[in-house]
Tab-separated table of all heavy atoms in Angstrom:
chain	number	residue	atom	x	y	z
W	812	ILE	N	11.239	9.822	-12.761
W	812	ILE	CA	10.037	10.248	-13.473
W	812	ILE	C	10.320	10.378	-14.968
W	812	ILE	O	11.440	10.641	-15.383
W	812	ILE	CB	9.481	11.575	-12.914
W	812	ILE	CG1	10.493	12.711	-13.042
W	812	ILE	CG2	9.036	11.406	-11.474
W	812	ILE	CD1	9.953	14.083	-12.660
W	813	SER	N	9.265	10.186	-15.756
W	813	SER	CA	9.369	10.278	-17.210
W	813	SER	C	9.054	11.691	-17.680
W	813	SER	O	8.591	12.536	-16.912
W	813	SER	CB	8.383	9.306	-17.851
W	813	SER	OG	7.050	9.779	-17.684
W	814	VAL	N	9.258	11.900	-18.953
W	814	VAL	CA	8.791	13.110	-19.617
W	814	VAL	C	7.266	13.037	-19.623
W	814	VAL	O	6.699	11.947	-19.781
W	814	VAL	CB	9.340	13.154	-21.059
W	814	VAL	CG1	8.744	14.292	-21.846
W	814	VAL	CG2	10.858	13.220	-21.036
W	815	PRO	N	6.570	14.158	-19.455
W	815	PRO	CA	5.105	14.090	-19.396
W	815	PRO	C	4.465	13.665	-20.721
W	815	PRO	O	4.903	14.074	-21.790
W	815	PRO	CB	4.680	15.508	-19.027
W	815	PRO	CG	5.864	16.358	-19.117
W	815	PRO	CD	7.064	15.505	-19.244
W	816	LEU	N	3.444	12.851	-20.594
W	816	LEU	CA	2.564	12.517	-21.706
W	816	LEU	C	1.362	13.432	-21.546
W	816	LEU	O	0.790	13.527	-20.459
W	816	LEU	CB	2.138	11.048	-21.615
W	816	LEU	CG	1.064	10.585	-22.588
W	816	LEU	CD1	1.556	10.669	-24.027
W	816	LEU	CD2	0.636	9.163	-22.255
W	817	ARG	N	0.988	14.112	-22.614
W	817	ARG	CA	-0.108	15.081	-22.539
W	817	ARG	C	-1.270	14.601	-23.394
W	817	ARG	O	-1.074	14.194	-24.526
W	817	ARG	CB	0.378	16.439	-23.019
W	817	ARG	CG	1.593	16.914	-22.218
W	817	ARG	CD	2.373	17.995	-22.925
W	817	ARG	NE	2.730	17.563	-24.261
W	817	ARG	CZ	2.799	18.395	-25.312
W	817	ARG	NH1	2.586	19.670	-25.184
W	817	ARG	NH2	3.119	17.928	-26.504
W	818	ILE	N	-2.464	14.661	-22.828
W	818	ILE	CA	-3.652	14.161	-23.515
W	818	ILE	C	-4.754	15.217	-23.465
W	818	ILE	O	-5.023	15.793	-22.411
W	818	ILE	CB	-4.171	12.873	-22.849
W	818	ILE	CG1	-3.106	11.778	-22.914
W	818	ILE	CG2	-5.468	12.409	-23.492
W	818	ILE	CD1	-3.470	10.545	-22.114
W	819	ALA	N	-5.396	15.424	-24.607
W	819	ALA	CA	-6.598	16.263	-24.669
W	819	ALA	C	-7.789	15.333	-24.828
W	819	ALA	O	-7.759	14.410	-25.643
W	819	ALA	CB	-6.519	17.236	-25.837
W	820	GLY	N	-8.827	15.546	-24.039
W	820	GLY	CA	-10.025	14.730	-24.126
W	820	GLY	C	-9.903	13.441	-23.346
W	820	GLY	O	-9.042	13.278	-22.490
W	821	GLN	N	-10.770	12.517	-23.656
W	821	GLN	CA	-10.836	11.229	-22.962
W	821	GLN	C	-9.979	10.204	-23.697
W	821	GLN	O	-10.247	9.930	-24.864
W	821	GLN	CB	-12.279	10.730	-22.905
W	821	GLN	CG	-13.231	11.667	-22.183
W	821	GLN	CD	-12.985	11.695	-20.696
W	821	GLN	OE1	-12.759	10.673	-20.083
W	821	GLN	NE2	-13.036	12.876	-20.113
W	822	PRO	N	-8.974	9.639	-23.059
W	822	PRO	CA	-8.171	8.613	-23.730
W	822	PRO	C	-8.986	7.340	-23.924
W	822	PRO	O	-9.926	7.072	-23.183
W	822	PRO	CB	-7.009	8.378	-22.764
W	822	PRO	CG	-7.535	8.788	-21.439
W	822	PRO	CD	-8.539	9.883	-21.700
W	823	ASP	N	-8.606	6.571	-24.940
W	823	ASP	CA	-9.283	5.300	-25.186
W	823	ASP	C	-9.121	4.361	-24.001
W	823	ASP	O	-10.021	3.629	-23.633
W	823	ASP	CB	-8.727	4.614	-26.436
W	823	ASP	CG	-9.070	5.391	-27.691
W	823	ASP	OD1	-10.075	6.126	-27.681
W	823	ASP	OD2	-8.329	5.268	-28.679
W	824	LYS	N	-7.938	4.404	-23.404
W	824	LYS	CA	-7.655	3.485	-22.299
W	824	LYS	C	-6.594	4.105	-21.400
W	824	LYS	O	-5.580	4.584	-21.874
W	824	LYS	CB	-7.156	2.157	-22.869
W	824	LYS	CG	-6.997	1.056	-21.870
W	824	LYS	CD	-6.615	-0.214	-22.601
W	824	LYS	CE	-6.546	-1.376	-21.642
W	824	LYS	NZ	-6.194	-2.618	-22.325
W	825	LEU	N	-6.852	4.106	-20.123
W	825	LEU	CA	-5.880	4.570	-19.139
W	825	LEU	C	-6.101	3.747	-17.881
W	825	LEU	O	-7.041	3.980	-17.138
W	825	LEU	CB	-6.045	6.065	-18.841
W	825	LEU	CG	-5.118	6.665	-17.797
W	825	LEU	CD1	-3.658	6.580	-18.252
W	825	LEU	CD2	-5.481	8.112	-17.532
W	826	LEU	N	-5.278	2.753	-17.698
W	826	LEU	CA	-5.396	1.906	-16.518
W	826	LEU	C	-4.414	2.353	-15.464
W	826	LEU	O	-3.268	2.686	-15.770
W	826	LEU	CB	-5.126	0.442	-16.873
W	826	LEU	CG	-6.156	-0.236	-17.755
W	826	LEU	CD1	-5.729	-1.662	-18.057
W	826	LEU	CD2	-7.524	-0.231	-17.104
W	827	LEU	N	-4.857	2.349	-14.250
W	827	LEU	CA	-4.011	2.709	-13.129
W	827	LEU	C	-3.382	1.450	-12.544
W	827	LEU	O	-3.724	0.336	-12.918
W	827	LEU	CB	-4.850	3.446	-12.084
W	827	LEU	CG	-5.570	4.689	-12.617
W	827	LEU	CD1	-6.523	5.232	-11.571
W	827	LEU	CD2	-4.579	5.750	-13.044
W	828	THR	N	-2.485	1.629	-11.608
W	828	THR	CA	-1.839	0.511	-10.948
W	828	THR	C	-2.894	-0.362	-10.281
W	828	THR	O	-3.730	0.133	-9.535
W	828	THR	CB	-0.842	1.027	-9.892
W	828	THR	OG1	0.096	1.865	-10.554
W	828	THR	CG2	-0.118	-0.089	-9.209
W	829	ASP	N	-2.857	-1.665	-10.555
W	829	ASP	CA	-3.864	-2.537	-9.967
W	829	ASP	C	-3.339	-3.347	-8.788
W	829	ASP	O	-4.082	-4.078	-8.155
W	829	ASP	CB	-4.475	-3.467	-11.017
W	829	ASP	CG	-3.472	-4.440	-11.609
W	829	ASP	OD1	-2.271	-4.293	-11.345
W	829	ASP	OD2	-3.897	-5.330	-12.352
W	830	LYS	N	-2.063	-3.211	-8.465
W	830	LYS	CA	-1.482	-3.952	-7.345
W	830	LYS	C	-1.450	-3.123	-6.059
W	830	LYS	O	-0.995	-3.586	-5.035
W	830	LYS	CB	-0.061	-4.399	-7.694
W	830	LYS	CG	-0.024	-5.388	-8.831
W	830	LYS	CD	1.385	-5.778	-9.160
W	830	LYS	CE	1.392	-6.716	-10.353
W	830	LYS	NZ	2.740	-6.996	-10.811
W	831	SER	N	-1.885	-1.894	-6.137
W	831	SER	CA	-1.886	-1.011	-4.981
W	831	SER	C	-3.086	-0.082	-5.125
W	831	SER	O	-3.837	-0.163	-6.089
W	831	SER	CB	-0.573	-0.229	-4.928
W	831	SER	OG	-0.505	0.515	-3.737
W	832	TRP	N	-3.210	0.820	-4.202
W	832	TRP	CA	-4.317	1.770	-4.227
W	832	TRP	C	-3.982	2.960	-5.106
W	832	TRP	O	-2.835	3.364	-5.213
W	832	TRP	CB	-4.628	2.261	-2.820
W	832	TRP	CG	-5.037	1.160	-1.902
W	832	TRP	CD1	-4.264	0.532	-0.972
W	832	TRP	CD2	-6.303	0.532	-1.846
W	832	TRP	NE1	-4.973	-0.439	-0.327
W	832	TRP	CE2	-6.236	-0.466	-0.842
W	832	TRP	CE3	-7.498	0.711	-2.530
W	832	TRP	CZ2	-7.317	-1.267	-0.526
W	832	TRP	CZ3	-8.571	-0.095	-2.205
W	832	TRP	CH2	-8.472	-1.069	-1.212
W	833	SER	N	-5.003	3.541	-5.706
W	833	SER	CA	-4.864	4.786	-6.461
W	833	SER	C	-5.727	5.836	-5.780
W	833	SER	O	-6.852	5.546	-5.357
W	833	SER	CB	-5.318	4.594	-7.907
W	833	SER	OG	-4.500	3.642	-8.554
W	834	PHE	N	-5.192	7.038	-5.679
W	834	PHE	CA	-5.896	8.114	-5.005
W	834	PHE	C	-6.154	9.258	-5.962
W	834	PHE	O	-5.255	9.662	-6.704
W	834	PHE	CB	-5.073	8.656	-3.830
W	834	PHE	CG	-4.943	7.694	-2.697
W	834	PHE	CD1	-3.899	6.783	-2.651
W	834	PHE	CD2	-5.870	7.691	-1.664
W	834	PHE	CE1	-3.766	5.895	-1.612
W	834	PHE	CE2	-5.751	6.797	-0.615
W	834	PHE	CZ	-4.699	5.892	-0.585
W	835	ALA	N	-7.357	9.797	-5.931
W	835	ALA	CA	-7.690	11.030	-6.630
W	835	ALA	C	-7.721	12.133	-5.572
W	835	ALA	O	-8.339	11.968	-4.512
W	835	ALA	CB	-9.033	10.920	-7.323
W	836	ILE	N	-7.028	13.217	-5.858
W	836	ILE	CA	-6.954	14.343	-4.934
W	836	ILE	C	-7.597	15.542	-5.621
W	836	ILE	O	-6.987	16.160	-6.499
W	836	ILE	CB	-5.491	14.659	-4.555
W	836	ILE	CG1	-4.806	13.398	-4.023
W	836	ILE	CG2	-5.430	15.808	-3.556
W	836	ILE	CD1	-3.292	13.474	-4.029
Side-chain angles (χ1 to χ4, degrees):
I812 61 173
S813 72
V814 173
L816 172 64
R817 304 161 306 146
I818 299 172
Q821 300 289 318
D823 292 335
K824 188 175 184 179
L825 178 63
L826 292 178
L827 304 172
T828 302
D829 64 351
K830 295 179 183 173
S831 186
W832 299 100
S833 298
F834 291 89
I836 306 162

